[in-house]
Amino acid sequence: MARAVRVRGVVGALGWVAVGSMVANVAAYVVYVGAGRWLLPSDYGQFARLLSAMLVLGVPALALQSVIAREVVRRRGGRLFRVTATTTAAVVVIAIAAAPVVVAVARTGTAATAVALGAAPVLVVIAAGQGVLQGRGEFRALGWVLAVVGLLRSVPMLVAFAVGAGPAAGLLAGTIGAAVAAVVVWSAVGTVVRAEHRTVGPDDAGVSAVGVLRASQVQLVAIVAVSIDLLLSGTALGATDAGVYALGAVATKAAFWLPQAIGVVFYPRLADPASSRTALRQAVTVVAAIGAVLTLGAALLGPLVPIVVGAAYRPLVPILWLFAYTGSAMAVLQVLLLSAIAADRTRASAVTWLVLAVEVVVIVAFVDSVTALAATAAIAVTVAAASTGVVVVRSMRASPHATPARS
């Protein structure tokens, strides 16, 4: 009976988070597709590369959410506001320093880059609130928050592109929407806390800047893995091919983000030493199964690409499945890396960093076509997921605290 109740609880939590994530992801994908229709391929490539740069700069936000959720699970959620403020300030400094680098490396416009990276500090504030809800197991509230945040970030961009705005104006609209979303998130957190008559945690223990820093390098390698091929596409390919690749990368992002609810819901169990090994096995199995379905679906839907977005993207027809496979393998890799953060064994990411370093060298030195770039990304993430999985499982077996959950 207890097991049945626990299973129903997990399924219910997955349902709420999956629906919220789905709404947010569909909104984001509609923006990608709409931008592909309303922007020229060269402008679309710039827009997509800036979104990838935003993902990289959003790493501290993801790390903060993971650390806050982990410490709240362990009832050590103190110093939350102090660390959130410190992380936000650090991201502001990083964004200012990163802007000229992104302009040079990703070959993007100065104005568009500035407004895109300006969203990064706001994402930190959003992530902190989501971490509180995640760690407290408030998955219904978290599902609503994910949906609202996704809509507030995506719909303004879609409207801007629909009325003829370029990449800079569209990204500015998205940044303003994110600021509104931050207010919504913390309103939800305040409502939950007041309803339970509990505080987030004492101010003298719990979340630390060092913990966020360690988690950041793990989240960074996950985001770099899903973004590096697109970021380098402007260097390895011509402007038109880079735009074609950017649209193909929509399938990668779809396969990567669609199973996100699995990691979100299983994360508290991954942070609990008594259930971490069982939770990891279950999470990887479910994510891999979803990825297989998405890869097959992309292979069947490939011929529709030129019909939906135009003949300029016909080269994607035979290889769309490869993009979906890459995203699916990245989703598995992310679950493995999340388990490393949850257990505070962040050194497990070292092997993934090594694989990505080799990938960058190969792309810069040898890649000169859309197909070659897609194949390189697929091979790299396969090797990264397999090798990281071995390291994570070995570290769990070696730890005296990681014991199988009782059924």
Side-chain angles (χ1 to χ4, degrees):
M1 179 64 69
R3 181 182 180 86
V5 171
R6 185 167 62 248
V7 170
R8 285 198 298 271
V10 171
V11 171
L14 280 173
W16 282 109
V17 176
V19 170
S21 299
M22 182 69 70
V23 171
N25 288 328
V26 167
Y29 304 144
V30 170
V31 171
Y32 270 104
V33 174
R37 177 166 291 276
W38 290 315
L39 297 177
L40 295 173
S42 57
D43 284 340
Y44 182 81
Q46 178 184 185
F47 168 70
R49 292 194 295 276
L50 282 173
L51 289 186
S52 292
M54 287 171 63
L55 280 177
V56 174
L57 202 59
V59 163
L62 295 174
L64 182 64
Q65 177 174 340
S66 296
V67 172
I68 287 176
R70 181 184 71 206
E71 299 306 325
V72 169
V73 167
R74 298 175 180 180
R75 302 186 181 278
R76 300 184 308 188
R79 295 188 298 204
L80 186 157
F81 300 110
R82 186 187 314 170
V83 174
T84 298
T86 301
T87 305
T88 302
V91 169
V92 170
V93 174
I94 294 171
I96 293 173
V101 177
V102 173
V103 170
V105 174
R107 299 184 180 180
T108 56
T110 301
T113 302
V115 295
L117 301 189
V122 183
L123 298 182
V124 173
V125 178
I126 292 173
Q130 292 179 166
V132 174
L133 296 175
Q134 183 182 8
R136 294 164 71 100
E138 297 288 348
F139 293 116
R140 180 173 182 173
L142 182 59
W144 279 103
V145 161
L146 291 172
V148 172
V149 170
L151 290 172
L152 287 174
R153 292 185 61 195
S154 299
V155 172
M157 283 193 287
L158 185 64
V159 173
F161 291 138
V163 299
L171 289 165
L172 176 60
T175 298
I176 294 172
V180 176
V183 176
V184 173
V185 170
W186 278 98
S187 296
V189 172
T191 300
V192 168
V193 171
R194 285 193 299 271
E196 296 185 7
H197 304 289
R198 289 195 300 165
T199 59
V200 172
D203 288 334
D204 60 347
V207 184
S208 69
V210 174
V212 174
L213 185 61
R214 286 200 302 267
S216 290
Q217 65 89 13
V218 182
Q219 291 285 11
L220 178 60
V221 77
I223 295 302
V224 169
V226 79
S227 306
I228 193 63
D229 57 326
L230 184 57
L231 284 172
L232 293 178
S233 64
T235 300
L237 308 175
T240 299
D241 281 349
V244 171
Y245 191 88
L247 190 66
V250 173
T252 300
K253 295 183 184 302
F256 177 69
W257 290 112
L258 280 177
Q260 292 304 298
I262 308 300
V264 172
V265 172
F266 274 83
Y267 185 83
R269 292 178 60 198
L270 291 171
D272 184 351
S275 60
S276 58
R277 290 173 62 178
T278 300
L280 178 60
R281 182 175 66 252
Q282 293 172 341
V284 168
T285 299
V286 175
V287 170
I290 293 173
V293 173
L294 293 175
T295 301
L296 177 60
L300 297 175
L301 296 176
L304 296 179
V305 171
I307 298 174
V308 175
V309 294
Y313 299 97
R314 190 174 299 277
L316 294 175
V317 171
I319 60 172
L320 190 65
W321 69 271
L322 190 58
F323 287 93
Y325 166 78
T326 300
S328 300
M330 287 176 178
V332 172
L333 174 62
Q334 188 186 45
V335 170
L336 295 167
L337 293 172
L338 277 176
S339 72
I341 296 175
D344 204 10
R345 289 189 288 263
T346 53
R347 292 182 181 178
S349 64
V351 65
T352 306
W353 280 114
L354 178 60
V355 173
L356 289 181
V358 174
E359 180 185 5
V360 170
V361 172
V362 171
I363 291 174
V364 172
F366 302 107
V367 168
D368 59 0
S369 70
V370 172
T371 301
L373 184 54
T376 300
I379 293 171
V381 73
T382 300
V383 174
S387 54
T388 302
V390 171
V391 173
V392 168
V393 171
R394 285 181 176 176
S395 68
M396 282 185 166
R397 289 174 178 171
S399 172
H401 301 292
T403 57
R406 296 177 181 177
S407 57

